[in-house]
Amino acid sequence: MVSPTSVSISDEHNRVPVQNDENTYTVNRDASVTLDSTKAFEGPEKLLEVWFAPDRYHLPPSMARDGLKSVPREMWEDMLRLVHCKVLSFIGTAEMDAYLLSESSMFVFPHKLILKTCGTTTLLAGLPRLLDIARTQTGYPAGMEPWRVFYSRKNFMFPDQQKHPHRSWKDEVKYLDAHFSNGSAYMVGRMNSDHHWYLYSAKRDATSSVNADSSVVNSVIADGRFEDETLEIIMTGLDQKKAAQFYNDRTVPETASDSSNSSAVSEDLDPGHVGGAEITNKCGLANLYPFSRIDSFSFSPCGYSANGVTDATHNYFTVHVTPEPGCSYASFESNVPSSVAGINSLDVVSYVVGIFGPSQFSVTMFETRATKNSFVNACTKGLPPSEIPGYTRVDRIVYELDEYDLVFLAFEKTEA
């Protein structure tokens, strides 16, 4: 867990973090203490990954040594305003910068950016600004497309409430195709089920002269050195007894100054971050990857978000919860490999599902073929994994996408 003694409190105009062996942690107090989630409703997130290279060691020669991590934080905040979300807090390590947002999370690495936002945020509206920042602030070659792009989401619960360009999957694909020349769109899972999943992927066209350095980075793949895996669990119909731990009864002040004399605010952290830390320990997430630092937030009157990072590697995990009956939702995403976690992917799924008790959930495992993961190997060979206790697997779909394998599984709670 993040220690309160390593925290620097900041306001809208002063965000100078404490330095601690390349690790930093900063809280945006103004945004944190006045955030009211009473009207939040759409849990399912939009997820965008933009890769400019396969790793930090194969950035284009013209790009800054630290790549995207060299971009000032204020520029990312400017991009996030287009998406309609704010930064609540920030953990910086040598390998990545993890932003906890008012609507989910963002992770910035030297070679890629991951942005995950829920509600009616307009995530793709920030894409042009993201690409512009990469080119003007880091030296990414003008005219060169990103190395890889992935955009995905579950089907929305309230699609009619979304804003352009997220009103339909067709609109999203059209928007993405306008920015990338080599994209493909997929719908995974049953259309007449609550758990189907959309994926858009694009890769740099190696035949283009402006993209000539692709031969260099592609050698990383050919040599079997490119390893990447992401596990995502999407849960709906949460057990309301388990969901109760993600509620709180605190009152949100109208302005940050209104809370300055409140006994509920600790010396170092606002109530949202204090409550988030308490929930992290109480619900058991702190025990999943005990080697990680966790930045978490408890929303008012309900809801929860957490980012976990490891200091010495590029591994992270993120959790987001909207517990309201009728639209309850939780998501878990992690790129922590089994070799680092000391626990296999199936056990991770069982552990996380046990925290929330959903009536149904889906699992996606997205990994390169150079990655050795027994969970994916079992699925790609047609051997189903052991059933999750209390659940029945109702769907298993396997895709081969360039150098990646994608496994999609759907489960429903077994009737007593």
Side-chain angles (χ1 to χ4, degrees), residues 204-249:
R204 183 186 300 160
D205 183 0
T207 63
S208 172
S209 59
V210 75
N211 294 331
D213 81 322
S214 290
S215 61
V216 177
V217 297
N218 284 346
S219 67
V220 177
I221 299 173
D223 294 343
R225 290 177 284 148
F226 177 49
E227 295 188 5
D228 177 47
E229 67 177 82
T230 302
L231 170 69
E232 186 175 29
I233 309 170
I234 297 175
M235 298 162 277
T236 57
L238 308 186
D239 182 302
Q240 285 303 297
K241 290 183 179 179
K242 295 178 181 293
Q245 61 192 321
F246 300 102
Y247 285 79
N248 65 72
D249 58 1

Side-chain angles (χ1 to χ4, degrees), residues 3 49 69 80 86 114 121 127 139 153 170 179 217-218 254 277 324 399 408:
S3 168
E49 290 193 28
K69 270 180 58 65
L80 291 172
K86 297 180 179 180
I114 301 172
T121 52
L127 177 60
R153 64 171 175 84
K170 182 178 179 180
H179 290 86
V217 297
N218 284 346
E254 292 184 2
E324 298 95 323
Y399 275 88
F408 173 89

Side-chain angles (χ1 to χ4, degrees), residues 90-322:
F90 163 95
I91 297 178
T93 74
E95 294 293 330
M96 78 179 94
D97 296 332
Y99 293 80
L100 196 64
L101 307 179
S102 55
E103 283 82 11
S104 302
S105 300
M106 181 173 74
F107 298 90
V108 180
F109 302 78
H111 62 291
K112 67 178 178 179
L113 182 143
I114 301 172
L115 179 57
K116 189 171 193 174
T117 66
C118 62
T120 56
T121 52
T122 52
L123 185 152
L124 291 179
L127 177 60
R129 181 61 177 144
L130 163 59
L131 298 176
D132 179 68
I133 289 173
R135 290 160 183 152
T136 62
Q137 300 300 316
T138 75
Y140 192 75
M144 179 182 284
E145 294 191 351
W147 183 65
R148 293 288 186 273
V149 176
F150 302 101
Y151 173 74
S152 63
R153 64 171 175 84
K154 176 190 176 297
N155 53 301
F156 292 130
M157 294 180 177
F158 307 96
D160 58 314
Q161 298 296 316
Q162 295 295 323
K163 303 173 183 177
H164 179 76
H166 299 286
R167 295 187 185 279
S168 71
W169 178 239
K170 182 178 179 180
D171 288 347
E172 290 171 313
V173 172
K174 182 178 179 181
Y175 190 92
L176 289 161
D177 278 344
H179 290 86
F180 308 112
S181 62
N182 200 17
S184 301
Y186 306 85
M187 195 287 291
V188 184
R190 304 177 186 180
M191 282 294 292
N192 59 350
S193 166
D194 181 57
H195 276 265
H196 53 274
W197 189 71
Y198 297 98
L199 170 67
Y200 180 96
S201 67
K203 64 178 181 178
R204 183 186 300 160
D205 183 0
T207 63
S208 172
S209 59
V210 75
N211 294 331
D213 81 322
S214 290
S215 61
V216 177
V217 297
N218 284 346
S219 67
V220 177
I221 299 173
D223 294 343
R225 290 177 284 148
F226 177 49
E227 295 188 5
D228 177 47
E229 67 177 82
T230 302
L231 170 69
E232 186 175 29
I233 309 170
I234 297 175
M235 298 162 277
T236 57
L238 308 186
D239 182 302
Q240 285 303 297
K241 290 183 179 179
K242 295 178 181 293
Q245 61 192 321
F246 300 102
Y247 285 79
N248 65 72
D249 58 1
R250 73 175 186 273
T251 301
V252 178
E254 292 184 2
T255 64
S257 60
D258 292 342
S259 64
S260 59
N261 296 321
S262 172
S263 60
V265 181
S266 75
E267 181 180 351
D268 296 305
L269 291 175
D270 57 274
H273 285 91
V274 171
E278 293 173 350
I279 290 174
T280 300
N281 286 300
K282 182 180 178 181
C283 75
L285 280 169
N287 300 324
L288 180 58
Y289 301 125
F291 50 82
S292 61
R293 294 195 299 152
I294 302 175
D295 177 22
S296 51
F297 191 89
S298 172
F299 295 85
S300 180
C302 62
Y304 169 84
S305 286
N307 287 340
V309 302
T310 56
D311 293 336
T313 70
H314 63 279
N315 300 134
Y316 71 90
F317 74 92
T318 184
V319 179
H320 303 283
V321 185
T322 53

Side-chain angles (χ1 to χ4, degrees), residues 357-377:
S359 60
Q360 51 189 346
F361 68 94
S362 63
V363 177
T364 56
M365 173 62 86
F366 206 51
E367 71 171 26
T368 56
R369 295 187 189 94
T371 305
K372 308 301 182 183
N373 187 301
S374 58
F375 180 76
V376 171
N377 287 339

Side-chain angles (χ1 to χ4, degrees), residues 327-388:
C327 58
S328 61
Y329 173 90
S331 68
F332 172 89
E333 179 186 339
S334 170
N335 76 339
V336 181
S338 300
S339 58
V340 173
I343 178 175
N344 66 49
S345 298
L346 185 58
D347 288 338
V348 171
V349 173
S350 296
Y351 188 91
V352 171
V353 168
I355 292 175
F356 299 101
S359 60
Q360 51 189 346
F361 68 94
S362 63
V363 177
T364 56
M365 173 62 86
F366 206 51
E367 71 171 26
T368 56
R369 295 187 189 94
T371 305
K372 308 301 182 183
N373 187 301
S374 58
F375 180 76
V376 171
N377 287 339
C379 290
T380 55
K381 292 177 181 178
L383 302 174
S386 301
E387 299 295 346
I388 306 296

